[in-house]
Amino acid sequence: MYRYNELDSQLVNQRVAQFRDQVRRWQAGELSDDEFRPLRLQNGLYIQRHAPMFRVAVPYGTLNSEQLRRLAHIGRTYDRGYGHFTTRHNLQFNWPKIEDVPDILAELAEVQLHAIQTSGNCIRNITTDAFAGVAADEIIDPRPLAEILRQWSTFHPEFAFLPRKFKFAISGTAEDRAITWFHDIGLQLKVVNGETGFTVIVGGGLGRTPIRGEVVREFLPWQHLLTYSTAILRVYNRFGRRDNAYKARIKILVQALGIEAFRAQVDAEWAHEKDSPHTITQAEYDRIAAHFAPPAYAPAEPANFPDDPAFARWRARCTHPHKVPGYTAVTLSLKRHGVAPGDITSDQMDVVADLADRYSFGELRVSHEQNVILTDVRECDLHALWLSARDAGLATPNIGLLTSIICCPGGDFCDLANAKSIPIANAIQQRFDDLDYLFDIGEIDLNISGCMNACSHHHVGHIGVLGVDRKDKEFYQVTLGGRQGNDAQLGKVIGPAFPAEEMPEVVEQIISVYLAERHADERFLDTFDRIGIDPFKNKVYAGRAHGRSKSQEAA
Amino acid sequence: MAQLIAAQQVLENTWTEQPLEEDGNAGPFVAPSTPTLYPLAFWRAHREAIIASAQAGALPLGLLLQPDDAVEEIAADLPHLALIAINFPKFVDGRGYSSAALLRQRYGYHGELRAVGDVLHDQLFYLRRVGFDSYALKDGKSTAYAIAHGFTTFTEPYQASTDQPLPHFRRQP
């Protein structure tokens, strides 16, 4: 993984000093709340429902064991002994004190971590495939270019006060696992006629106005990544709307202009920027890429797995194909039933750090599905690893299954939320607690967002759940058929929203339609695509007062 | 105008701002006796007269740009201008950074470039990087602290900008 040089360390250390000074001036009344807000947000610090919330960047999802132990320590020392992995390669602490944050930042800087631009209207953390570098279907490792983008976007003087937040995702695999169709800029690495470059997608996003991005450039050679990004960002910074925060994302500008006119503006801007000094040199690429050289893999050894159904189940769900024979990538599930999805205790972080040291070259990843991944595990070590992970509550064999729910903090923590999300996730997990049943249902993505900001990407869940507030009561709107990947698309709304207590039953009814209708070998999504939304709608609303009439009854 | 900082010191502002009519239109032009900053609408209405008058009176000329004023429009006028002030109605409105970068990097403007409006300590570093060289710091904020600490937050940035034409990866030996 990338290790800081002197320059990187100096920048992060100077950031700590800067923020310490900003906190001091805010406390002294020299900075007003309004003046301080954007500054703290660009350091990942929110003021939330119960306490501040503090968001640490995990750049493109890569961490090492030393960093994770430090996060564990921070959780214990400054918080309540746990953290929460988000859907964008960040770790959030829910209970820090504002006055401690400069010290936390200093502790992070010592292990080459930071909270730079994890919030605010600026270029955010760059996300990618959690299996980057090891995935069997990888074309190009996206991490070096993600790091080059990280450096370029860090403290970019022209783009620190954009109309709204700006998110990049990069995918380097045959199957997109980075949701590139739904980011402000989505980059799909490819090789065309022996040349490496990107398809550049722009103007995608979820949130209040979900829009699938559009291809602004079919093929951009990699050397031009920064100059072309400059052109897009400059057009956005100058012409993106600033009169209404809900219409300020680049997707609104792209839609208003149309992709042709937007492309023309970007190309006109790029004509000036192309071949400028920001053109990436081979030397720079090589310097960064050297940090991501493969570890010293051992020759494959036969793995003799014990005849243990629980282990077999875990291996079926939680291991993933690796490009090196004899190795596999392992997902440690943070979707244990009854726990907030993505939450990890400090003790668990220490266990994961030990497992990473023992079995995976001391490195790990976090996925946008809010799990932890050990990317380089020998198959012959799998059973021993599983035993340790199981003891730590990190081996729930539900990856890709209904209960590995992607879920935002929701109304329990987040100020923006309209409704709670964690209790809904836990209630559904409880309803589907039988592993045989869960395995029989098979692969299905369930995403729950507590508001239309869509932090848990509910629009691309096979089943998406959105919390809405109606007359001060929490209701949940359900969408079906959304998906990530190459054919990413938005789910369709099934109908009026449901009260919280009905959600487990609603999900069960949806599943029952699938189980009754499916052909052999059909996943939920296949059946949905074949039969459409109506059979699900009919089943769910049969004999049920619709959400609206129900809320009128209640009112 | 607020407290003017330039060249690491507090300076007296010598410029007067030409007001617009209440409806935002340009009123009649009256030859000024002091260096004057013209809003773009006024400049459009009286460009020739303003230039002639400045030359006759040997007075420097300035333009005051709003965030949505396109710098492309004045690219040909830059040789006439001694000062361009860019207004930041709110410090979180970042359009002025692109205006400045374009004026300096694309159109080769070498005169004084001044940030006015909601100009605060914590933006000075970025403002300097994109090419501003004078700053009307908001009233009530410490000019001494700004001069001592506002411009040196980070010693060595990654990216190229007006102040540093090469990104760090091209500056390495």
Side-chain angles (χ1 to χ4, degrees):
Chain A
M1 68 185 289
Y2 186 74
R3 305 297 298 171
Y4 285 4
N5 63 18
E6 224 168 279
L7 169 75
D8 303 311
S9 296
Q10 177 174 283
L11 278 165
V12 169
N13 289 333
Q14 289 180 330
R15 177 61 148 194
V16 177
Q18 179 194 37
F19 191 63
R20 198 181 288 284
D21 182 56
Q22 287 166 344
V23 171
R24 179 190 65 72
R25 284 184 285 130
W26 172 68
Q27 287 174 322
E30 296 169 29
L31 274 174
S32 71
D33 286 348
D34 284 346
E35 290 165 354
F36 182 53
R37 185 182 305 111
L39 308 179
R40 65 172 164 75
L41 287 175
Q42 297 211 4
N43 281 285
L45 183 58
Y46 288 75
I47 306 292
Q48 289 285 32
R49 198 154 285 206
H50 305 293
M53 185 274 280
F54 176 59
R55 183 183 289 159
V56 179
V58 182
Y60 38 93
T62 58
L63 273 178
N64 62 33
S65 55
E66 182 197 19
Q67 292 171 326
L68 190 60
R69 285 195 188 94
R70 184 60 60 96
L71 291 168
H73 161 76
I74 289 168
R76 276 192 202 98
T77 311
Y78 301 97
D79 205 285
R80 297 189 180 175
Y82 71 99
H84 170 80
F85 282 115
T86 75
T87 53
R88 290 204 81 260
H89 299 340
N90 297 298
L91 181 93
Q92 288 178 184
F93 291 110
N94 280 320
W95 309 93
K97 294 195 188 77
I98 293 180
E99 55 270 30
D100 285 342
V101 170
D103 290 338
I104 299 175
L105 286 175
E107 295 233 21
L108 291 172
E110 285 176 5
V111 294
Q112 308 191 354
L113 284 172
H114 62 76
I116 295 163
Q117 292 165 211
T118 54
S119 181
N121 296 333
C122 51
I123 301 171
R124 302 284 192 89
N125 195 18
I126 287 122
T127 57
T128 185
D129 175 18
F131 299 100
V134 305
D137 68 338
E138 185 164 272
I139 304 160
I140 303 282
D141 184 348
R143 292 172 299 168
L145 289 158
E147 173 61 25
I148 287 169
L149 261 183
R150 183 194 74 82
Q151 296 192 9
W152 166 81
S153 61
T154 297
F155 310 139
H156 196 298
E158 189 179 338
F159 304 132
F161 295 100
L162 298 169
R164 200 71 183 80
K165 58 190 171 183
F166 201 92
K167 301 173 178 178
F168 280 83
I170 309 184
S171 164
T173 45
E175 180 66 19
D176 173 26
R177 284 187 289 269
I179 324 185
T180 51
W181 285 105
F182 291 100
H183 275 75
D184 296 285
I185 290 182
L187 300 166
Q188 297 180 345
L189 272 159
K190 53 165 71 165
V191 178
V192 175
N193 299 329
E195 193 178 12
T196 299
F198 311 92
T199 294
V200 182
I201 298 161
V202 72
L206 297 171
R208 186 175 294 256
T209 314
I211 294 173
R212 191 177 200 262
E214 301 194 58
V215 172
V216 63
R217 194 166 193 91
E218 198 59 55
F219 187 75
L220 179 76
W222 63 270
Q223 295 89 339
H224 302 299
L225 173 60
L226 303 183
T227 59
Y228 194 74
S229 298
T230 300
I232 293 177
L233 263 301
R234 187 172 281 159
V235 168
Y236 172 54
N237 190 41
R238 298 182 74 192
F239 305 115
R241 284 182 63 173
R242 291 174 185 265
D243 59 325
N244 179 344
Y246 298 134
K247 298 193 184 298
R249 295 287 289 271
I250 194 172
K251 60 191 172 190
I252 304 294
L253 177 66
V254 173
Q255 292 299 311
L257 291 173
I259 188 68
E260 298 297 331
F262 180 80
R263 180 183 297 123
Q265 288 203 23
V266 170
D267 285 347
E269 187 58 44
W270 193 44
H272 295 282
E273 291 298 315
K274 187 171 182 286
D275 301 324
S276 77
H278 271 136
T279 306
I280 306 165
T281 59
Q282 186 67 46
E284 174 65 357
Y285 181 86
D286 292 345
R287 179 182 81 84
I288 302 280
H291 289 269
F292 300 97
Y297 290 115
E301 262 181 41
N304 298 311
F305 297 129
D307 185 18
D308 179 341
F311 172 68
R313 232 175 208 157
W314 176 78
R315 201 162 72 88
R317 291 317 321 174
C318 299
T319 66
H320 313 273
H322 198 289
K323 56 167 73 157
V324 177
Y327 277 82
T328 187
V330 170
T331 298
L332 300 172
S333 173
L334 299 184
K335 307 301 173 76
R336 191 181 184 180
H337 297 182
V339 175
D343 273 14
I344 180 167
T345 66
S346 288
D347 291 347
Q348 286 177 318
M349 291 186 218
D350 283 339
V351 170
V352 172
D354 291 345
L355 291 176
D357 280 342
R358 203 173 326 148
Y359 298 117
S360 193
F361 301 97
E363 292 187 17
L364 56 131
R365 309 287 175 83
V366 297
S367 68
H368 76 76
E369 289 90 353
Q370 305 170 288
N371 294 303
V372 175
I373 289 156
L374 301 178
T375 44
D376 299 286
V377 178
R378 297 181 84 185
E379 285 179 340
C380 55
D381 289 335
L382 271 180
H383 189 256
L385 186 156
W386 172 67
L387 290 172
S388 303
R390 194 182 55 171
D391 287 347
L394 295 165
T396 311
N398 62 350
I399 297 308
L401 302 181
L402 181 64
T403 60
S404 66
I405 298 168
I406 298 179
C407 186
C408 69
D412 292 301
F413 296 100
C414 178
D415 254 0
L416 303 172
N418 296 122
K420 293 185 178 67
S421 51
I422 295 166
I424 306 298
N426 290 156
I428 293 168
Q429 287 172 332
Q430 197 178 0
R431 176 71 69 111
F432 291 90
D433 202 28
D434 182 297
L435 277 175
D436 289 325
Y437 186 34
L438 208 52
F439 270 67
D440 182 42
I441 296 166
E443 287 181 16
I444 185 161
D445 293 347
L446 174 58
N447 302 46
I448 306 176
S449 297
C451 76
M452 60 188 78
N453 290 305
C455 289
S456 75
H457 308 151
H458 64 273
H459 302 100
V460 293
H462 304 165
I463 301 176
V465 177
L466 165 65
V468 293
D469 176 79
R470 196 173 287 147
K471 294 179 182 163
D472 287 334
K473 291 196 70 173
E474 297 181 356
F475 285 84
Y476 296 86
Q477 186 185 70
V478 174
T479 51
L480 294 180
R483 67 204 64 182
Q484 52 169 320
N486 296 354
D487 304 318
Q489 54 181 273
L490 301 167
K492 296 189 179 96
V493 176
I494 190 171
F498 309 96
E501 61 275 13
E502 293 183 19
M503 281 310 299
E505 191 194 329
V506 167
V507 173
E508 179 130 44
Q509 286 170 330
I510 290 166
I511 296 300
S512 75
V513 173
Y514 158 64
L515 294 177
E517 298 285 336
R518 72 176 167 186
H519 293 169
D521 297 336
E522 265 188 352
R523 298 165 307 156
F524 173 83
L525 214 46
D526 303 320
T527 304
F528 175 85
D529 286 346
R530 183 170 53 76
I531 69 176
I533 201 167
D534 286 341
F536 296 93
K537 195 183 285 189
N538 294 341
K539 173 78 175 184
V540 169
Y541 290 104
R544 185 189 299 275
H546 284 185
R548 185 159 303 172
S549 51
K550 195 128 193 165
S551 75
Q552 280 161 355
E553 278 169 28
Chain B
M1 196 176 270
Q3 323 166 77
L4 186 63
I5 298 174
Q8 295 294 300
Q9 50 189 316
V10 181
L11 295 180
E12 192 74 23
N13 173 42
T14 54
W15 290 78
T16 314
E17 217 172 283
Q18 167 70 50
L20 290 171
E21 306 280 279
E22 269 177 32
D23 57 8
N25 289 320
F29 172 68
V30 178
S33 54
T34 55
T36 303
L37 267 176
Y38 295 98
L40 191 58
F42 201 92
W43 176 255
R44 278 187 200 126
H46 303 291
R47 183 177 177 279
E48 310 306 326
I50 293 170
I51 292 171
S53 152
Q55 282 168 351
L59 282 174
L61 254 182
L63 273 187
L64 171 63
L65 298 183
Q66 298 302 323
D68 56 352
D69 289 341
V71 293
E72 288 83 353
E73 188 182 333
I74 58 155
D77 296 330
L78 297 179
H80 298 294
L81 301 174
L83 171 66
I84 297 176
I86 296 179
N87 185 36
F88 289 81
K90 295 179 188 160
F91 76 91
V92 291
D93 184 337
R95 287 175 288 183
Y97 294 90
S98 285
S99 302
L102 287 172
L103 283 171
R104 291 294 198 206
Q105 296 168 34
R106 184 161 305 163
Y107 299 110
Y109 175 65
H110 294 299
E112 182 179 343
L113 190 56
R114 181 178 296 180
V116 301
D118 198 16
V119 176
L120 304 173
H121 180 97
D122 295 281
Q123 284 74 53
L124 295 174
F125 176 78
Y126 289 151
L127 291 169
R128 180 186 64 72
R129 285 219 64 204
V130 296
F132 288 96
D133 53 6
S134 68
Y135 315 85
L137 191 70
K138 194 174 172 182
D139 284 327
K141 305 295 178 186
S142 165
T143 50
Y145 199 68
I147 288 167
H149 300 285
F151 299 95
T152 51
T153 317
F154 303 101
T155 6
E156 190 79 16
Y158 287 122
Q159 328 74 0
S161 191
T162 304
D163 68 327
Q164 172 50 267
L166 295 179
H168 186 261
F169 65 78
R170 287 184 189 266
R171 306 199 295 272
Q172 294 175 93

